[in-house]
Amino acid sequence: MPTISNKGQQMPQSPIRKLVPFAEDAKKRGVKVFHLNIGQPDIKTPQIALDAVKNNTIEVLSYSRSEGSETYREKIANYYRTKNILVSAQDIIVTTGGSEALLFTFGSIMDAGDEIIIPEPFYANYNGFSAASGITIVPVISKIENNFALPAIEEFEKLITPKTKAILICNPGNPTGYLYTKEEIEKLAAIVKKHDLFLIADEVYREFVYDGLSHYSILQKEGLEQHAIIIDSVSKRYSMCGARIGCIVSKNNAVIATALKFAQARLSPPTYAQIAGEAALDTPQRYFDEVITEYVARRDTLIGELQKIKGLTVAKPKGAFYCIVELPVKNADHFAQWLLEDFNLNNETIMVAPAAGFYSTEGLGTNQIRIAYVLNKTDLIRSVEILKEALSTYTA
Ligand SMILES: Cc1ncc(COP(=O)(O)O)c(C=O)c1O
């Protein structure tokens, strides 16, 4: 019998999606499932983006340029300028989602056996992309007790070895909702410069920042041009997850030239989705104002309701739309599956993402779940009610 590669065997399942068959079974049994497991917003995609696809007159749905269409990249560069990120179209490669941007970046700057330092917990698929690239994640642990603030800079320096190639942050963070301050970015900038590393920032949630705080991008930091790589995506910004469009942004020409070779190998990003992405850049500010107001209300509702449950710990997110919740259970994986297989409250249950998959340190996060507050307030209140009742019933 032909065998599967070691790499293939080591590829982790996504904690966000691995319980889907159990959710599907629950639905077949007539149970309504509230999806708190995945960052799939219910927010409407801007009409301008949908219309651009509907109304176009393409007769041959052809490939585009590997780096993305010229007009789209020019417009993306304009968007960044409005965020005080001074880049040009030449600094941008359009990718098939932020996911491909991560894969191309890892492939461009790291070899098998190299190490990348990532504050943990982190976006679960960093585990998958690292496994696919043969690189090792060296986690620096942030804690729920400190609201997931960045550990002391000395903690990062202790972890640097001759194999370290990069530090990766997610800002604002999935799954913690943590927003890095300008001072924290400056400290990270000093480390990567001192040790000649790359600093990768996954900024796909850049717009989702709350409480009057503002986002500080690594590419706003002067002197970091050769080190900084931004990962970006339209998925969350415009609630366009299905478009599958993202990009890599860097002022480092060698990084862009190398990523372009990966981009050429997969030919081009999707053509229709680039049309939608380009049109989406004309989305009026009031769309974002309304969306942010909605997310703040959802966050406050969710956190407020969760805090009423005894024995549960939750850190208040400052951005993105996720939170990590520590539960009074031993094994959140088991609890999450049990919620779908064995529990319902008046024929309704919830699907959550067990948090262990958001860590690379064995044994961490086993009593935590990640909740995405992408549902409306009524559904969130009902979901917490279900969680509360489930916790009082669950005995394992
Ligand atoms: C932090 C982060 N980075 C990257 C991605 C990948 O997004 P996409 O491939 O849809 O652009 C996601 C998706 O949830 C994410 O949460």
Side-chain angles (χ1 to χ4, degrees), residues 13 78 85 106 188 327 360:
Q13 279 188 311
N78 287 341
I85 298 170
F106 285 8
L188 287 172
L327 301 176
S360 63

Side-chain angles (χ1 to χ4, degrees), residues 16 38-39 96-100 102 123 125-126 129 170 172-174 202-205 231-236 240-242 244-246 322 370:
I16 303 160
I38 192 161
T96 308
S99 306
E100 192 180 66
L102 283 159
Y123 173 51
N125 287 324
Y126 296 162
F129 297 134
C170 182
N174 172 6
D202 182 335
E203 299 185 358
V204 307
Y205 297 97
I231 304 297
D232 216 335
S233 168
V234 304
S235 290
K236 319 291 163 158
M240 275 172 56
C241 294
R244 310 309 306 129
I245 286 285
Y322 307 95
R370 186 197 72 167

